[in-house]
Amino acid sequence: MEIILVVTGSIAAYKAADIARRLIDEGLKVSVAMTSNAEKFIAPLTFEALTGSPVFRSGFPLPGEEPMGHITFSRGAQLALVAPATANFIGKLANGIADDNISTMLMASGLPLLVAPAMNEKMYNHPAVKQNIDTLEQRGAIFIGPSKGALACGDVGEGKLEDVEAITSRVIEELELKRDLRGLKIIVTAGGTREPIDPVRFIGNRSSGKMGIAIAKAAVMRGAEVCLIAGALEVDPPEGIQTVKAETAEKMLEQVSARFDGADALIMSAAVGDYHTAHVPTGKVGKKEEWDIKLVKNRDIISEMSRRSRSGQVIAGFAAETDDIEKRGREKLLRKNMDMIVINDVSRSDIGFGSDENEITIITRKGETRKTSKMAKSDIAEIILDCLARLVTGGETVSGRKVCK
Ligand code: CTP
């Protein structure tokens, strides 16, 4: 797991070196970013020596340097910790000010945020700072400290950087909380399959792959070892996740099948085509008045995996429906012998295929139903994984073929 440690310009900046070292000792990869004021208190070289990686620095990139560093630096990280955090930096975060490489990078990261403030007591208790902290807390940021004690300015009061031990424990706790899928191997399929009808044409569908990718990313964040099996995607596959291409339904079946026995869960979010062409000509078919194409039914991946699954494996499928969505979804859950099904209404253009948002109904084999409101696919992914985690850890998998509690 990787954490971004942002060091800002406080006398307590030297303690960030100890924080970095302790987090590395915990087995984390620590990537350090420093504001230019932080560099006045402690040299980047200290962190580079500790972490073995270059520090992400404040100035905007010079010609020849990575131009998109503020976007790419945080990719692969699970959490950002600002320690020590000055009043100025807290103010920037709360008010969306992105005036240097560090604030821009944090804003673009979308990472869960932990903030350990360090400043004079009067500054800490200033209404502007209090309001900025409230704003960030309302957005989900977690504040660690400050504690009370002798401050660098000679005052005694609240504003001292929290103990290094307490900061690192809070970081670990935060990462652990989200790691309920640790040790699990999960196969996630995403995107739409394409069935060739000649060497240049295919029959495909409108799946973008965004939902499957959101699930794969969220599962990795929660500690799972994920293999993403991708059909055609409208978006780039995520960096740092093992991704295998499988364009046709047959190839997808092959790739899932090769990994299924060793997996704890299979999440079939790909829109797998129902048919393939009986015969694919070797050359491009020229224009003609009519073209009859014979389609043959594809093998069903979920049904085949379900038949050979062992006790405790969880299979989650999707249903993209336009009418009678719950009834059809429930019927599909039973017909394909899944543990849970995620149903979405593809007749709506504001959600589902291609969209960044979704609204779903989950039904489990035990008959539990969970409906969501319309929300970002990343949030939907967490809800799907909450349900899956319960099935995996609770042994609440399908009757007949496996344990049913
Ligand atoms: N699926 C599969 N193998 C296939 C087709 C679909 O494993 N050959 C999976 C999908 O990934 C999805 C679930 O089955 O998780 C339901 O897909 P859907 O296309 O809705 O199911 P179909 O059985 O094809 O039903 P319909 O007749 O509605 O197309």
Side-chain angles (χ1 to χ4, degrees), residues 4-11 13 16 31-44 47 55-60 73 81-90 92-93 97 99-106:
I4 306 287
L5 171 61
V6 177
V7 186
T8 70
S10 151
I11 184 75
S31 299
V32 177
M34 295 178 77
T35 63
S36 51
N37 282 336
E39 291 190 25
K40 293 176 186 157
F41 290 94
I42 181 167
F47 293 101
V55 162
F56 187 74
R57 298 173 70 174
S58 178
F60 285 115
F73 182 71
L81 165 69
V82 187
T86 58
N88 179 53
F89 200 77
I90 290 171
K92 283 201 213 180
L93 286 179
I97 297 169
D99 63 347
D100 68 356
N101 227 7
I102 311 302
S103 44
T104 337
M105 178 275 293
L106 258 192

mmCIF file of all heavy atoms in Angstrom, residues 4-11 13 16 31-44 47 55-60 73 81-90 92-93 97 99-106:
data_model
loop_
_atom_site.group_PDB
_atom_site.id
_atom_site.type_symbol
_atom_site.label_atom_id
_atom_site.label_comp_id
_atom_site.label_asym_id
_atom_site.label_seq_id
_atom_site.Cartn_x
_atom_site.Cartn_y
_atom_site.Cartn_z
ATOM 1 N N ILE A 4 0.701 8.980 0.478
ATOM 2 C CA ILE A 4 1.359 10.243 0.136
ATOM 3 C C ILE A 4 1.515 11.020 1.441
ATOM 4 O O ILE A 4 0.529 11.261 2.143
ATOM 5 C CB ILE A 4 0.476 11.086 -0.823
ATOM 6 C CG1 ILE A 4 0.075 10.307 -2.070
ATOM 7 C CG2 ILE A 4 1.153 12.416 -1.153
ATOM 8 C CD1 ILE A 4 1.157 10.078 -3.061
ATOM 9 N N LEU A 5 2.753 11.391 1.763
ATOM 10 C CA LEU A 5 2.996 12.207 2.952
ATOM 11 C C LEU A 5 3.326 13.626 2.482
ATOM 12 O O LEU A 5 4.344 13.835 1.819
ATOM 13 C CB LEU A 5 4.165 11.618 3.760
ATOM 14 C CG LEU A 5 4.692 12.472 4.921
ATOM 15 C CD1 LEU A 5 3.612 12.727 5.968
ATOM 16 C CD2 LEU A 5 5.901 11.804 5.579
ATOM 17 N N VAL A 6 2.435 14.563 2.804
ATOM 18 C CA VAL A 6 2.653 15.956 2.408
ATOM 19 C C VAL A 6 3.219 16.703 3.613
ATOM 20 O O VAL A 6 2.612 16.725 4.685
ATOM 21 C CB VAL A 6 1.338 16.622 1.948
ATOM 22 C CG1 VAL A 6 1.574 18.096 1.618
ATOM 23 C CG2 VAL A 6 0.757 15.894 0.749
ATOM 24 N N VAL A 7 4.392 17.295 3.430
ATOM 25 C CA VAL A 7 5.045 18.025 4.518
ATOM 26 C C VAL A 7 4.936 19.514 4.197
ATOM 27 O O VAL A 7 5.291 19.936 3.093
ATOM 28 C CB VAL A 7 6.527 17.611 4.630
ATOM 29 C CG1 VAL A 7 7.170 18.260 5.857
ATOM 30 C CG2 VAL A 7 6.670 16.096 4.694
ATOM 31 N N THR A 8 4.407 20.291 5.151
ATOM 32 C CA THR A 8 4.278 21.735 4.900
ATOM 33 C C THR A 8 5.172 22.495 5.890
ATOM 34 O O THR A 8 5.773 21.908 6.798
ATOM 35 C CB THR A 8 2.798 22.198 4.970
ATOM 36 O OG1 THR A 8 2.358 22.136 6.324
ATOM 37 C CG2 THR A 8 1.892 21.336 4.110
ATOM 38 N N GLY A 9 5.231 23.829 5.704
ATOM 39 C CA GLY A 9 6.255 24.632 6.370
ATOM 40 C C GLY A 9 6.025 24.958 7.830
ATOM 41 O O GLY A 9 5.611 26.066 8.186
ATOM 42 N N SER A 10 6.315 24.011 8.687
ATOM 43 C CA SER A 10 6.202 24.230 10.121
ATOM 44 C C SER A 10 7.505 23.766 10.760
ATOM 45 O O SER A 10 8.203 22.889 10.219
ATOM 46 C CB SER A 10 5.031 23.391 10.665
ATOM 47 O OG SER A 10 5.256 23.026 11.999
ATOM 48 N N ILE A 11 7.799 24.324 11.924
ATOM 49 C CA ILE A 11 8.999 23.892 12.654
ATOM 50 C C ILE A 11 8.948 22.391 12.949
ATOM 51 O O ILE A 11 9.970 21.723 13.075
ATOM 52 C CB ILE A 11 9.159 24.741 13.963
ATOM 53 C CG1 ILE A 11 10.444 24.396 14.707
ATOM 54 C CG2 ILE A 11 7.986 24.578 14.898
ATOM 55 C CD1 ILE A 11 11.671 24.941 14.083
ATOM 56 N N ALA A 13 8.285 20.190 10.928
ATOM 57 C CA ALA A 13 8.525 19.422 9.685
ATOM 58 C C ALA A 13 9.556 18.307 9.898
ATOM 59 O O ALA A 13 9.471 17.254 9.263
ATOM 60 C CB ALA A 13 8.964 20.359 8.570
ATOM 61 N N ALA A 16 8.321 14.886 10.492
ATOM 62 C CA ALA A 16 7.753 14.130 9.361
ATOM 63 C C ALA A 16 8.728 13.044 8.908
ATOM 64 O O ALA A 16 8.315 12.019 8.352
ATOM 65 C CB ALA A 16 7.420 15.068 8.214
ATOM 66 N N SER A 31 5.400 8.050 -0.303
ATOM 67 C CA SER A 31 5.821 9.011 -1.326
ATOM 68 C C SER A 31 5.649 10.394 -0.720
ATOM 69 O O SER A 31 4.547 10.758 -0.302
ATOM 70 C CB SER A 31 4.962 8.873 -2.579
ATOM 71 O OG SER A 31 5.109 7.571 -3.095
ATOM 72 N N VAL A 32 6.749 11.144 -0.688
ATOM 73 C CA VAL A 32 6.728 12.426 0.032
ATOM 74 C C VAL A 32 6.584 13.594 -0.935
ATOM 75 O O VAL A 32 7.219 13.632 -1.995
ATOM 76 C CB VAL A 32 8.006 12.580 0.880
ATOM 77 C CG1 VAL A 32 8.046 13.939 1.574
ATOM 78 C CG2 VAL A 32 8.113 11.450 1.900
ATOM 79 N N ALA A 33 5.716 14.538 -0.556
ATOM 80 C CA ALA A 33 5.586 15.801 -1.294
ATOM 81 C C ALA A 33 5.887 16.916 -0.300
ATOM 82 O O ALA A 33 5.472 16.840 0.863
ATOM 83 C CB ALA A 33 4.166 15.931 -1.831
ATOM 84 N N MET A 34 6.611 17.949 -0.736
ATOM 85 C CA MET A 34 6.969 19.038 0.196
ATOM 86 C C MET A 34 6.636 20.388 -0.411
ATOM 87 O O MET A 34 6.932 20.649 -1.582
ATOM 88 C CB MET A 34 8.478 19.018 0.472
ATOM 89 C CG MET A 34 8.945 17.780 1.196
ATOM 90 S SD MET A 34 10.750 17.820 1.432
ATOM 91 C CE MET A 34 10.893 18.978 2.792
ATOM 92 N N THR A 35 6.052 21.261 0.417
ATOM 93 C CA THR A 35 5.849 22.637 -0.051
ATOM 94 C C THR A 35 7.207 23.346 -0.007
ATOM 95 O O THR A 35 8.141 22.885 0.673
ATOM 96 C CB THR A 35 4.853 23.390 0.849
ATOM 97 O OG1 THR A 35 5.421 23.484 2.159
ATOM 98 C CG2 THR A 35 3.503 22.694 0.923
ATOM 99 N N SER A 36 7.294 24.496 -0.684
ATOM 100 C CA SER A 36 8.595 25.185 -0.700
ATOM 101 C C SER A 36 8.945 25.669 0.703
ATOM 102 O O SER A 36 10.116 25.686 1.095
ATOM 103 C CB SER A 36 8.597 26.329 -1.712
ATOM 104 O OG SER A 36 7.480 27.133 -1.499
ATOM 105 N N ASN A 37 7.934 26.024 1.513
ATOM 106 C CA ASN A 37 8.241 26.454 2.889
ATOM 107 C C ASN A 37 8.742 25.293 3.735
ATOM 108 O O ASN A 37 9.601 25.476 4.592
ATOM 109 C CB ASN A 37 7.010 27.087 3.540
ATOM 110 C CG ASN A 37 6.806 28.508 3.057
ATOM 111 O OD1 ASN A 37 7.762 29.157 2.615
ATOM 112 N ND2 ASN A 37 5.578 29.002 3.113
ATOM 113 N N ALA A 38 8.237 24.093 3.480
ATOM 114 C CA ALA A 38 8.713 22.920 4.228
ATOM 115 C C ALA A 38 10.205 22.721 3.966
ATOM 116 O O ALA A 38 10.971 22.349 4.867
ATOM 117 C CB ALA A 38 7.926 21.681 3.816
ATOM 118 N N GLU A 39 10.610 23.004 2.720
ATOM 119 C CA GLU A 39 12.028 22.807 2.365
ATOM 120 C C GLU A 39 12.949 23.768 3.116
ATOM 121 O O GLU A 39 14.162 23.565 3.159
ATOM 122 C CB GLU A 39 12.221 22.973 0.856
ATOM 123 C CG GLU A 39 11.582 21.839 0.068
ATOM 124 C CD GLU A 39 11.974 21.847 -1.400
ATOM 125 O OE1 GLU A 39 13.044 22.386 -1.728
ATOM 126 O OE2 GLU A 39 11.187 21.311 -2.206
ATOM 127 N N LYS A 40 12.361 24.846 3.687
ATOM 128 C CA LYS A 40 13.190 25.763 4.483
ATOM 129 C C LYS A 40 13.485 25.161 5.858
ATOM 130 O O LYS A 40 14.393 25.579 6.551
ATOM 131 C CB LYS A 40 12.481 27.111 4.641
ATOM 132 C CG LYS A 40 12.370 27.849 3.306
ATOM 133 C CD LYS A 40 11.589 29.131 3.434
ATOM 134 C CE LYS A 40 11.382 29.740 2.061
ATOM 135 N NZ LYS A 40 10.239 30.642 2.002
ATOM 136 N N PHE A 41 12.665 24.194 6.267
ATOM 137 C CA PHE A 41 12.855 23.571 7.585
ATOM 138 C C PHE A 41 13.625 22.257 7.512
ATOM 139 O O PHE A 41 14.328 21.890 8.437
ATOM 140 C CB PHE A 41 11.494 23.307 8.244
ATOM 141 C CG PHE A 41 10.782 24.559 8.666
ATOM 142 C CD1 PHE A 41 9.856 25.173 7.844
ATOM 143 C CD2 PHE A 41 11.060 25.135 9.902
ATOM 144 C CE1 PHE A 41 9.207 26.330 8.241
ATOM 145 C CE2 PHE A 41 10.418 26.295 10.303
ATOM 146 C CZ PHE A 41 9.485 26.902 9.469
ATOM 147 N N ILE A 42 13.421 21.520 6.421
ATOM 148 C CA ILE A 42 14.084 20.209 6.306
ATOM 149 C C ILE A 42 14.348 19.950 4.813
ATOM 150 O O ILE A 42 13.503 20.299 3.970
ATOM 151 C CB ILE A 42 13.243 19.088 6.981
ATOM 152 C CG1 ILE A 42 13.943 17.735 6.892
ATOM 153 C CG2 ILE A 42 11.828 19.006 6.452
ATOM 154 C CD1 ILE A 42 13.338 16.657 7.809
ATOM 155 N N ALA A 43 15.480 19.343 4.539
ATOM 156 C CA ALA A 43 15.851 19.160 3.129
ATOM 157 C C ALA A 43 15.140 17.964 2.505
ATOM 158 O O ALA A 43 14.991 16.924 3.168
ATOM 159 C CB ALA A 43 17.357 18.965 3.037
ATOM 160 N N PRO A 44 14.761 18.073 1.243
ATOM 161 C CA PRO A 44 14.149 16.932 0.545
ATOM 162 C C PRO A 44 15.044 15.691 0.582
ATOM 163 O O PRO A 44 14.548 14.570 0.647
ATOM 164 C CB PRO A 44 13.992 17.432 -0.901
ATOM 165 C CG PRO A 44 13.955 18.917 -0.797
ATOM 166 C CD PRO A 44 14.778 19.287 0.391
ATOM 167 N N PHE A 47 14.210 13.017 3.084
ATOM 168 C CA PHE A 47 13.110 12.103 2.740
ATOM 169 C C PHE A 47 13.510 11.172 1.590
ATOM 170 O O PHE A 47 13.096 10.025 1.545
ATOM 171 C CB PHE A 47 11.854 12.907 2.370
ATOM 172 C CG PHE A 47 11.296 13.645 3.548
ATOM 173 C CD1 PHE A 47 11.523 14.997 3.728
ATOM 174 C CD2 PHE A 47 10.557 12.969 4.506
ATOM 175 C CE1 PHE A 47 11.022 15.672 4.823
ATOM 176 C CE2 PHE A 47 10.050 13.629 5.617
ATOM 177 C CZ PHE A 47 10.289 14.977 5.772
ATOM 178 N N VAL A 55 11.484 13.293 -3.976
ATOM 179 C CA VAL A 55 10.395 14.052 -3.343
ATOM 180 C C VAL A 55 9.656 14.835 -4.422
ATOM 181 O O VAL A 55 10.264 15.350 -5.361
ATOM 182 C CB VAL A 55 10.995 14.997 -2.272
ATOM 183 C CG1 VAL A 55 10.019 16.097 -1.885
ATOM 184 C CG2 VAL A 55 11.402 14.202 -1.039
ATOM 185 N N PHE A 56 8.333 14.901 -4.308
ATOM 186 C CA PHE A 56 7.519 15.711 -5.219
ATOM 187 C C PHE A 56 7.541 17.139 -4.695
ATOM 188 O O PHE A 56 7.132 17.388 -3.564
ATOM 189 C CB PHE A 56 6.092 15.144 -5.249
ATOM 190 C CG PHE A 56 5.211 15.787 -6.270
ATOM 191 C CD1 PHE A 56 5.368 15.507 -7.627
ATOM 192 C CD2 PHE A 56 4.221 16.675 -5.894
ATOM 193 C CE1 PHE A 56 4.546 16.097 -8.577
ATOM 194 C CE2 PHE A 56 3.403 17.266 -6.832
ATOM 195 C CZ PHE A 56 3.566 16.980 -8.174
ATOM 196 N N ARG A 57 8.068 18.043 -5.509
ATOM 197 C CA ARG A 57 8.340 19.379 -4.991
ATOM 198 C C ARG A 57 7.366 20.419 -5.517
ATOM 199 O O ARG A 57 6.617 20.176 -6.450
ATOM 200 C CB ARG A 57 9.791 19.740 -5.275
ATOM 201 C CG ARG A 57 10.700 18.745 -4.548
ATOM 202 C CD ARG A 57 12.134 18.899 -4.883
ATOM 203 N NE ARG A 57 12.684 20.135 -4.322
ATOM 204 C CZ ARG A 57 13.963 20.436 -4.390
ATOM 205 N NH1 ARG A 57 14.800 19.608 -4.979
ATOM 206 N NH2 ARG A 57 14.408 21.564 -3.894
ATOM 207 N N SER A 58 7.458 21.584 -4.921
ATOM 208 C CA SER A 58 6.406 22.580 -5.080
ATOM 209 C C SER A 58 6.354 23.302 -6.423
ATOM 210 O O SER A 58 5.290 23.597 -6.937
ATOM 211 C CB SER A 58 6.563 23.599 -3.954
ATOM 212 O OG SER A 58 5.618 24.592 -4.097
ATOM 213 N N GLY A 59 7.508 23.598 -6.989
ATOM 214 C CA GLY A 59 7.509 24.409 -8.211
ATOM 215 C C GLY A 59 6.831 23.681 -9.355
ATOM 216 O O GLY A 59 6.847 22.451 -9.421
ATOM 217 N N PHE A 60 6.202 24.431 -10.239
ATOM 218 C CA PHE A 60 5.586 23.787 -11.395
ATOM 219 C C PHE A 60 6.695 23.226 -12.281
ATOM 220 O O PHE A 60 7.818 23.722 -12.267
ATOM 221 C CB PHE A 60 4.675 24.774 -12.133
ATOM 222 C CG PHE A 60 3.388 25.001 -11.386
ATOM 223 C CD1 PHE A 60 3.067 26.232 -10.848
ATOM 224 C CD2 PHE A 60 2.505 23.941 -11.181
ATOM 225 C CE1 PHE A 60 1.892 26.425 -10.137
ATOM 226 C CE2 PHE A 60 1.332 24.129 -10.468
ATOM 227 C CZ PHE A 60 1.021 25.359 -9.952
ATOM 228 N N PHE A 73 1.436 11.651 -9.774
ATOM 229 C CA PHE A 73 2.164 11.342 -8.543
ATOM 230 C C PHE A 73 1.346 10.494 -7.564
ATOM 231 O O PHE A 73 1.867 9.583 -6.931
ATOM 232 C CB PHE A 73 2.605 12.650 -7.860
ATOM 233 C CG PHE A 73 3.403 12.424 -6.602
ATOM 234 C CD1 PHE A 73 4.700 11.936 -6.661
ATOM 235 C CD2 PHE A 73 2.858 12.704 -5.357
ATOM 236 C CE1 PHE A 73 5.436 11.721 -5.503
ATOM 237 C CE2 PHE A 73 3.592 12.495 -4.199
ATOM 238 C CZ PHE A 73 4.886 11.998 -4.280
ATOM 239 N N LEU A 81 -1.590 11.881 3.783
ATOM 240 C CA LEU A 81 -1.441 12.421 5.138
ATOM 241 C C LEU A 81 -0.695 13.745 5.027
ATOM 242 O O LEU A 81 0.382 13.787 4.423
ATOM 243 C CB LEU A 81 -0.628 11.435 5.992
ATOM 244 C CG LEU A 81 -0.076 11.978 7.315
ATOM 245 C CD1 LEU A 81 -1.207 12.241 8.315
ATOM 246 C CD2 LEU A 81 0.925 10.987 7.932
ATOM 247 N N VAL A 82 -1.280 14.821 5.586
ATOM 248 C CA VAL A 82 -0.567 16.095 5.622
ATOM 249 C C VAL A 82 -0.038 16.253 7.045
ATOM 250 O O VAL A 82 -0.820 16.386 7.996
ATOM 251 C CB VAL A 82 -1.489 17.279 5.256
ATOM 252 C CG1 VAL A 82 -0.657 18.561 5.151
ATOM 253 C CG2 VAL A 82 -2.227 17.022 3.950
ATOM 254 N N ALA A 83 1.277 16.204 7.203
ATOM 255 C CA ALA A 83 1.860 16.278 8.549
ATOM 256 C C ALA A 83 3.276 16.827 8.476
ATOM 257 O O ALA A 83 4.119 16.205 7.827
ATOM 258 C CB ALA A 83 1.878 14.881 9.192
ATOM 259 N N PRO A 84 3.558 17.948 9.083
ATOM 260 C CA PRO A 84 2.606 18.816 9.777
ATOM 261 C C PRO A 84 1.823 19.654 8.760
ATOM 262 O O PRO A 84 2.321 19.939 7.688
ATOM 263 C CB PRO A 84 3.532 19.705 10.613
ATOM 264 C CG PRO A 84 4.825 19.741 9.842
ATOM 265 C CD PRO A 84 4.953 18.425 9.154
ATOM 266 N N ALA A 85 0.601 20.045 9.152
ATOM 267 C CA ALA A 85 -0.235 20.880 8.287
ATOM 268 C C ALA A 85 -0.310 22.282 8.878
ATOM 269 O O ALA A 85 -0.718 22.448 10.030
ATOM 270 C CB ALA A 85 -1.629 20.274 8.177
ATOM 271 N N THR A 86 0.093 23.265 8.114
ATOM 272 C CA THR A 86 0.035 24.658 8.595
ATOM 273 C C THR A 86 -1.375 25.207 8.422
ATOM 274 O O THR A 86 -2.187 24.668 7.658
ATOM 275 C CB THR A 86 0.993 25.540 7.780
ATOM 276 O OG1 THR A 86 0.617 25.437 6.395
ATOM 277 C CG2 THR A 86 2.437 25.118 7.942
ATOM 278 N N ALA A 87 -1.633 26.348 9.096
ATOM 279 C CA ALA A 87 -2.929 27.022 8.937
ATOM 280 C C ALA A 87 -3.137 27.405 7.483
ATOM 281 O O ALA A 87 -4.225 27.277 6.932
ATOM 282 C CB ALA A 87 -2.960 28.271 9.825
ATOM 283 N N ASN A 88 -2.063 27.857 6.846
ATOM 284 C CA ASN A 88 -2.144 28.272 5.450
ATOM 285 C C ASN A 88 -2.545 27.109 4.542
ATOM 286 O O ASN A 88 -3.436 27.219 3.701
ATOM 287 C CB ASN A 88 -0.777 28.823 5.022
ATOM 288 C CG ASN A 88 -0.776 29.241 3.570
ATOM 289 O OD1 ASN A 88 -1.630 30.013 3.150
ATOM 290 N ND2 ASN A 88 0.175 28.749 2.809
ATOM 291 N N PHE A 89 -1.925 25.942 4.753
ATOM 292 C CA PHE A 89 -2.201 24.802 3.872
ATOM 293 C C PHE A 89 -3.612 24.268 4.114
ATOM 294 O O PHE A 89 -4.316 23.898 3.176
ATOM 295 C CB PHE A 89 -1.144 23.714 4.078
ATOM 296 C CG PHE A 89 -1.086 22.762 2.909
ATOM 297 C CD1 PHE A 89 -0.463 23.133 1.726
ATOM 298 C CD2 PHE A 89 -1.684 21.517 2.978
ATOM 299 C CE1 PHE A 89 -0.435 22.272 0.628
ATOM 300 C CE2 PHE A 89 -1.663 20.657 1.891
ATOM 301 C CZ PHE A 89 -1.029 21.027 0.717
ATOM 302 N N ILE A 90 -4.031 24.266 5.377
ATOM 303 C CA ILE A 90 -5.405 23.832 5.700
ATOM 304 C C ILE A 90 -6.391 24.774 4.994
ATOM 305 O O ILE A 90 -7.380 24.344 4.404
ATOM 306 C CB ILE A 90 -5.621 23.819 7.232
ATOM 307 C CG1 ILE A 90 -4.806 22.679 7.852
ATOM 308 C CG2 ILE A 90 -7.107 23.678 7.596
ATOM 309 C CD1 ILE A 90 -4.744 22.687 9.377
ATOM 310 N N LYS A 92 -5.912 26.468 2.278
ATOM 311 C CA LYS A 92 -5.921 26.201 0.829
ATOM 312 C C LYS A 92 -6.784 24.981 0.509
ATOM 313 O O LYS A 92 -7.597 25.001 -0.406
ATOM 314 C CB LYS A 92 -4.494 25.920 0.347
ATOM 315 C CG LYS A 92 -3.626 27.120 0.189
ATOM 316 C CD LYS A 92 -2.500 26.719 -0.755
ATOM 317 C CE LYS A 92 -1.215 27.405 -0.437
ATOM 318 N NZ LYS A 92 -0.151 27.008 -1.355
ATOM 319 N N LEU A 93 -6.591 23.916 1.303
ATOM 320 C CA LEU A 93 -7.350 22.678 1.052
ATOM 321 C C LEU A 93 -8.847 22.931 1.199
ATOM 322 O O LEU A 93 -9.652 22.472 0.397
ATOM 323 C CB LEU A 93 -6.953 21.592 2.054
ATOM 324 C CG LEU A 93 -5.602 20.918 1.872
ATOM 325 C CD1 LEU A 93 -5.380 19.901 2.980
ATOM 326 C CD2 LEU A 93 -5.532 20.234 0.524
ATOM 327 N N ILE A 97 -7.895 26.182 -3.077
ATOM 328 C CA ILE A 97 -6.817 26.966 -3.686
ATOM 329 C C ILE A 97 -5.703 26.009 -4.117
ATOM 330 O O ILE A 97 -5.159 25.261 -3.305
ATOM 331 C CB ILE A 97 -6.278 28.035 -2.701
ATOM 332 C CG1 ILE A 97 -7.398 29.018 -2.385
ATOM 333 C CG2 ILE A 97 -5.059 28.754 -3.295
ATOM 334 C CD1 ILE A 97 -7.103 29.963 -1.247
ATOM 335 N N ASP A 99 -2.471 26.598 -5.896
ATOM 336 C CA ASP A 99 -1.557 27.573 -6.488
ATOM 337 C C ASP A 99 -0.121 27.082 -6.556
ATOM 338 O O ASP A 99 0.793 27.855 -6.802
ATOM 339 C CB ASP A 99 -1.633 28.902 -5.702
ATOM 340 C CG ASP A 99 -1.189 28.727 -4.262
ATOM 341 O OD1 ASP A 99 -1.056 27.567 -3.811
ATOM 342 O OD2 ASP A 99 -0.966 29.743 -3.579
ATOM 343 N N ASP A 100 0.092 25.825 -6.274
ATOM 344 C CA ASP A 100 1.425 25.253 -6.478
ATOM 345 C C ASP A 100 1.265 23.771 -6.782
ATOM 346 O O ASP A 100 0.152 23.242 -6.807
ATOM 347 C CB ASP A 100 2.340 25.498 -5.263
ATOM 348 C CG ASP A 100 1.900 24.717 -4.028
ATOM 349 O OD1 ASP A 100 0.847 24.043 -4.086
ATOM 350 O OD2 ASP A 100 2.591 24.777 -3.003
ATOM 351 N N ASN A 101 2.393 23.135 -7.045
ATOM 352 C CA ASN A 101 2.357 21.728 -7.448
ATOM 353 C C ASN A 101 1.744 20.835 -6.369
ATOM 354 O O ASN A 101 1.093 19.840 -6.670
ATOM 355 C CB ASN A 101 3.809 21.288 -7.700
ATOM 356 C CG ASN A 101 3.934 20.530 -9.005
ATOM 357 O OD1 ASN A 101 2.979 20.453 -9.767
ATOM 358 N ND2 ASN A 101 5.104 19.975 -9.251
ATOM 359 N N ILE A 102 1.943 21.177 -5.103
ATOM 360 C CA ILE A 102 1.506 20.295 -4.007
ATOM 361 C C ILE A 102 -0.006 20.377 -3.805
ATOM 362 O O ILE A 102 -0.690 19.349 -3.750
ATOM 363 C CB ILE A 102 2.221 20.664 -2.678
ATOM 364 C CG1 ILE A 102 3.742 20.786 -2.875
ATOM 365 C CG2 ILE A 102 1.884 19.659 -1.580
ATOM 366 C CD1 ILE A 102 4.439 19.570 -3.412
ATOM 367 N N SER A 103 -0.532 21.609 -3.728
ATOM 368 C CA SER A 103 -1.979 21.745 -3.535
ATOM 369 C C SER A 103 -2.734 21.222 -4.762
ATOM 370 O O SER A 103 -3.801 20.627 -4.647
ATOM 371 C CB SER A 103 -2.351 23.200 -3.234
ATOM 372 O OG SER A 103 -1.681 24.076 -4.090
ATOM 373 N N THR A 104 -2.161 21.411 -5.943
ATOM 374 C CA THR A 104 -2.805 20.902 -7.165
ATOM 375 C C THR A 104 -2.827 19.374 -7.129
ATOM 376 O O THR A 104 -3.850 18.759 -7.443
ATOM 377 C CB THR A 104 -1.992 21.320 -8.425
ATOM 378 O OG1 THR A 104 -1.216 22.438 -8.144
ATOM 379 C CG2 THR A 104 -2.862 21.558 -9.601
ATOM 380 N N MET A 105 -1.687 18.803 -6.745
ATOM 381 C CA MET A 105 -1.584 17.345 -6.711
ATOM 382 C C MET A 105 -2.613 16.764 -5.735
ATOM 383 O O MET A 105 -3.334 15.827 -6.065
ATOM 384 C CB MET A 105 -0.150 16.968 -6.296
ATOM 385 C CG MET A 105 0.146 15.494 -6.153
ATOM 386 S SD MET A 105 -0.269 14.820 -4.557
ATOM 387 C CE MET A 105 0.880 15.630 -3.478
ATOM 388 N N LEU A 106 -2.728 17.375 -4.538
ATOM 389 C CA LEU A 106 -3.673 16.832 -3.554
ATOM 390 C C LEU A 106 -5.106 16.958 -4.051
ATOM 391 O O LEU A 106 -5.916 16.048 -3.900
ATOM 392 C CB LEU A 106 -3.548 17.594 -2.233
ATOM 393 C CG LEU A 106 -2.775 16.908 -1.121
ATOM 394 C CD1 LEU A 106 -2.979 17.637 0.181
ATOM 395 C CD2 LEU A 106 -3.169 15.436 -0.962
#
